[in-house]
Amino acid sequence: MCGIVGYIGHRDAYPIIIKGLQRLEYRGYDSAGIALFDGSDINLSKTKGKVEHLKKKAEESMSLKGGLGIGHTRWATHGIPNDENSHPHISNSGDLVIVHNGIIENYESIKKELTKRGYNFHSDTDTEVLVNLIEEVKKKEDVKLGHAVQIALSEVVGAYAIAIIDRNKPDEIVVAKLGSPLAIGVGENEFFVASDASPFIEYTNNAVYLADEEMAIVRLGKEIKLRKIKDDAIAYPNIMELKLNIEEIEKGGYDHFMLKEIYEQPRAILDTYRGRLNVDQGLIKMAGIDDNLERFMNADRIIIVACGTSWHAGLVAEYIFEDLARIPVEVEYASEFRYRNPVITDKDVVIAISQSGETADTLAAIKLAKANGAFVFGVCNVVGSSIARETDAGAYTHAGPEIGVASTKAFTTQITVLTLVALKLAKEKGVFPESKYHEFLIELESIPSKVERALESNALVEIIAEVYKNATNCLYLGRGYNFPVALEGALKLKEISYIHAEGYPAAEMKHGPIALIDEQMPVFVIATKKGHYDKVVSNIQEIKSRKGKIIAIVTEGDSQVKELADHVIEVPETIESLTPLLTTIPLQLLSYHIAVMRGCNVDQPRNLAKSVTVE
Ligand code: F6R
């Protein structure tokens, strides 16, 4: 939710900030803005719409000179997307300029107070209130910007990552973080600040990630100074060396990031188990589990907390953990879990799944679980993210950056990590027969090549997409391990093509949704050979007798469903628990093609943002 970028150094800040904002557009794209210090004053341009609009506006209307600047791409929370509500926001005196990602919950009362003291507001945002609060503190207390930021932030309730500059002190940027991510790139006599490392990775591999309630003064010619906002304690910056490279965050010849990321899945799954899975020795090595084996072995149950697609991966994991490791599992929407006074004990293991590692509800669920004594294990993609740091232990998915707003490779790599964990625990507990365990490892190792084969359905999927691109409603059905895949297929279609779609367990159809079926209704059914095949075939018969259009995902060589369905898409055979890794592929491709055919913005669907750092 919102991307922020800043630069201070010997280069021109403008191109760095614009390119950085384009890379961060996945975080929000309602509006964008930039402020640059040209040596004597701050120039500012901001607009509703994409960074591309900002670029045009800025290049036509302002001086682009200067080695200090901040920029913002917005996902609106307070105030509709328009020019006034866009960031950066300026304080009443014109001295201070801020960009902010997050929400200031008590901004109304602060605004009232500042209004009484004569402040004027030109936007509906909480951010404009914050910059004026900082200004008021700075004047009243007669302190420097860093100190004023510190005092002001102690008064606010909410979440933030901010970058703020002062036209009277153009050798520094002050940044602070609580709940929203903020990284500082450390170059040779230059610094970058950004919501993630993508805006600065081509300039430096060295980065400091701010922890919650930390602030920093990034000053030219000086080392970074970190402070705790509340108690003023000095913290020492931990400079990490990043492994990310620039190719990973560019489209690499694909029309959209989503398509690139769909095609990256064989590599991403391989990277997920690389170094962890040793088929010859029959071993799974995962430091986060090995070091905490007792906690897992003694767990009464596992509670999985996540949102959206990650929640769907959690549902697949529920089947895997119960089936293989015989551990009871509950899967919770993090947003519900955090507010419903759940029963949590120190015998619980909580697994938090999050691609971004920044989802506010998941983070809050983790804090609640920890406060109640549970052991919390994270499954994240983004290295160094807030969730990765907040959890007791964890395993990264190593999927590489996922930039398309619709999650694809995050889903399959999360399932891969969770399968490794379940298999490892199954073996440790001795509840899974040795021969089956070995067969499982061999099969898991073959998944990347089977995903390659599943991707070969692309041309056929495109033809099917053409047939159903104008549908207004769709149903997705699956059973067992493939019920969550049905939910995920429906979510993918909804979010990028704006077609209403619902996922159901196939057998639930009779309890209501069957009433929707007529000759207009496309029904996507996952009907792979393993697991409840005959029962799903019966469900298909029921749809056919009501003239629904059937598009079935089947196992290679299937003939029975072919007789009944309007279209079949084949995926390679595998063991039942691993089928979601294959059946989800044609459904991802289908949503992609339908969205492209409908002229939708695939990578940046309306109203969404990649990383939901507000509740
Ligand atoms: C759907 C999608 C979202 C995310 C959800 C959780 O394609 O991307 O539903 O899965 O916002 O995000 P993370 O995994 O970053 O916590």
Side-chain angles (χ1 to χ4, degrees):
M1 318 252 101
C2 301
I4 66 182
V5 191
Y7 176 78
I8 185 162
H10 51 86
R11 303 172 208 253
D12 277 342
Y14 175 73
I16 296 170
I17 293 173
I18 285 290
K19 202 167 342 130
L21 290 178
Q22 279 164 334
R23 296 217 179 112
L24 292 181
E25 244 182 341
Y26 72 88
R27 302 180 63 84
Y29 31 84
D30 294 336
S31 42
I34 188 166
L36 297 169
F37 182 78
D38 66 5
S40 56
D41 208 349
I42 290 177
N43 298 302
L44 191 141
S45 180
K46 53 188 194 171
T47 176
K48 176 175 182 231
K50 304 238 174 213
V51 177
E52 210 39 54
H53 291 103
L54 169 68
K55 191 165 178 281
K56 202 160 171 285
K57 186 170 175 183
E59 285 171 14
E60 281 167 1
S61 64
M62 69 184 255
S63 156
L64 306 177
K65 281 198 314 210
L68 166 67
I70 52 177
H72 189 266
T73 175
R74 179 169 187 245
W75 187 87
T77 55
H78 292 91
I80 58 163
N82 61 22
D83 291 1
E84 291 71 40
N85 290 336
S86 309
H87 299 213
H89 287 282
I90 316 172
S91 65
N92 274 197
S93 70
D95 286 349
L96 306 184
V97 182
I98 194 171
V99 287
H100 166 218
N101 166 27
I103 291 181
I104 305 301
E105 287 170 13
N106 58 339
Y107 83 105
E108 296 269 23
S109 58
I110 300 172
K111 189 172 182 174
K112 259 192 212 145
E113 198 49 46
L114 290 173
T115 309
K116 273 196 225 151
R117 293 186 207 172
Y119 281 82
N120 297 313
F121 295 91
H122 310 283
S123 77
D124 308 317
T125 65
D126 49 347
T127 308
E128 195 187 7
V129 175
L130 180 60
V131 72
N132 282 304
L133 175 66
I134 296 169
E135 173 149 299
E136 172 66 8
V137 170
K138 190 168 176 289
K139 271 200 269 173
K140 207 169 127 205
E141 307 286 332
D142 192 20
V143 287
K144 291 188 180 154
L145 177 62
H147 202 178
V149 166
Q150 203 172 1
I151 298 170
L153 290 180
S154 310
E155 287 180 29
V156 307
V157 178
Y160 49 78
I162 59 164
I164 179 164
I165 56 176
D166 181 348
R167 72 170 164 189
N168 301 313
K169 192 105 188 31
D171 64 341
E172 67 180 28
I173 305 177
V174 177
V175 294
K177 166 193 158 42
L178 174 62
S180 303
L182 201 116
I184 303 172
V186 184
E188 285 277 322
N189 203 24
E190 61 181 347
F191 293 105
F192 306 78
V193 296
S195 301
D196 72 30
S198 62
F200 58 74
I201 196 66
E202 70 230 69
Y203 305 102
T204 177
N205 282 327
N206 297 324
V208 175
Y209 285 88
L210 252 59
D212 273 348
E213 298 191 342
E214 265 180 11
M215 59 170 292
I217 298 170
V218 178
R219 188 172 296 152
L220 268 189
K222 292 269 164 42
E223 303 218 319
I224 301 170
K225 232 194 228 169
L226 286 187
R227 273 180 194 286
K228 286 282 169 203
I229 292 166
K230 291 247 162 79
D231 60 13
D232 204 35
I234 297 197
Y236 291 95
N238 172 18
I239 301 185
M240 289 174 58
E241 202 188 323
L242 303 176
K243 298 277 183 311
L244 198 68
N245 64 51
I246 195 69
E247 292 75 43
E248 285 182 280
I249 51 174
E250 289 185 340
K251 279 191 203 144
Y254 287 91
D255 287 344
H256 298 95
F257 281 111
M258 182 182 179
L259 190 61
K260 173 181 175 239
E261 287 155 11
I262 291 173
Y263 273 89
E264 276 174 352
Q265 288 175 105
R267 195 269 313 143
I269 294 171
L270 185 70
D271 283 350
T272 304
Y273 69 61
R274 197 195 300 277
R276 292 170 169 159
L277 174 65
N278 186 326
V279 178
D280 294 340
Q281 293 176 14
L283 279 180
I284 294 170
K285 280 194 278 175
M286 297 179 93
I289 306 287
D290 290 321
D291 297 347
N292 300 286
L293 203 54
E294 286 279 283
R295 291 300 296 248
F296 282 92
M297 298 301 274
N298 295 330
D300 283 343
R301 60 175 176 167
I302 290 174
I303 305 171
I304 295 178
V305 291
C307 302
T309 291
S310 298
W311 185 77
H312 295 155
L315 284 182
V316 176
E318 178 181 22
Y319 284 84
I320 304 177
F321 276 107
E322 296 202 340
D323 197 6
L324 272 51
R326 309 302 298 149
I327 305 174
V329 176
E330 286 163 31
V331 188
E332 301 266 3
Y333 283 117
S335 53
E336 289 298 313
F337 180 80
R338 63 179 289 193
Y339 283 122
R340 71 165 173 73
N341 194 15
V343 177
I344 312 166
T345 75
D346 59 6
K347 299 275 278 175
D348 290 326
V349 166
V350 170
I351 299 183
I353 311 173
S354 175
Q355 187 286 127
S356 61
E358 301 295 346
T359 301
D361 285 321
T362 310
L363 204 47
I366 291 168
K367 288 181 180 161
L368 177 68
K370 277 175 78 177
N372 284 278
F375 175 78
V376 184
F377 186 85
V379 174
C380 294
N381 187 34
V382 177
V383 176
S385 54
S386 302
I387 293 177
R389 280 180 287 131
E390 187 66 38
T391 41
D392 295 307
Y396 284 117
T397 52
H398 300 308
E402 192 182 66
I403 292 167
V405 164
S407 250
T408 51
K409 61 179 178 171
F411 181 65
T412 45
T413 54
Q414 287 164 348
I415 294 173
T416 305
V417 162
L418 292 159
T419 303
L420 289 170
V421 175
L423 269 172
K424 191 169 171 60
L425 296 179
K427 175 143 164 92
E428 293 291 343
K429 293 181 82 176
V431 291
F432 199 52
E434 194 63 34
S435 60
K436 273 178 99 182
Y437 171 79
H438 204 73
E439 184 199 341
F440 212 115
L441 298 193
I442 294 171
E443 193 55 31
L444 185 56
E445 198 179 36
S446 76
I447 287 296
S449 64
K450 292 190 175 180
V451 173
E452 293 275 7
R453 261 164 53 208
L455 285 165
E456 287 167 14
S457 65
N458 185 46
L460 170 64
V461 172
E462 205 171 341
I463 294 168
I464 297 172
E466 187 64 47
V467 179
Y468 297 105
K469 66 178 187 216
N470 294 322
T472 45
N473 294 289
C474 292
L475 274 181
Y476 285 71
L477 303 177
R479 282 192 89 143
Y481 280 96
N482 281 296
F483 156 53
V485 177
L487 295 179
E488 175 60 9
L491 176 62
K492 286 290 88 93
L493 189 70
K494 283 187 263 218
E495 67 181 329
I496 59 168
S497 69
Y498 319 139
I499 295 175
H500 174 242
E502 295 294 336
Y504 276 99
E508 273 294 303
M509 205 182 47
K510 288 192 205 61
H511 301 282
I514 198 164
L516 292 169
I517 293 178
D518 61 15
E519 60 276 12
Q520 308 298 330
M521 177 67 92
V523 187
F524 298 89
V525 190
I526 303 148
T528 43
K529 272 278 189 261
K530 302 278 166 59
H532 321 291
Y533 177 73
D534 293 337
K535 301 209 186 290
V536 177
V537 172
S538 304
N539 295 137
I540 291 177
Q541 305 264 21
E542 290 155 9
I543 302 162
K544 196 166 176 67
S545 7
R546 284 154 188 91
K547 300 198 169 57
K549 299 281 178 281
I550 300 156
I551 308 95
I553 316 295
V554 299
T555 309
E556 276 172 357
D558 182 289
S559 54
Q560 204 177 343
V561 175
K562 220 175 244 167
E563 296 284 302
L564 301 167
D566 296 272
H567 310 270
V568 294
I569 305 166
E570 293 187 342
V571 294
E573 185 161 5
T574 186
I575 44 186
E576 191 190 352
S577 324
L578 296 175
T579 51
L581 295 170
L582 305 180
T583 51
T584 198
I585 303 292
L587 298 181
Q588 294 171 346
L589 287 168
L590 186 95
S591 329
Y592 171 77
H593 287 301
I594 291 185
V596 171
M597 287 169 191
R598 288 167 70 96
C600 299
N601 187 338
V602 172
D603 284 333
Q604 294 169 354
R606 69 183 181 208
N607 305 339
L608 292 177
K610 183 75 185 154
S611 173
V612 185
T613 54
V614 293
E615 17 171 334

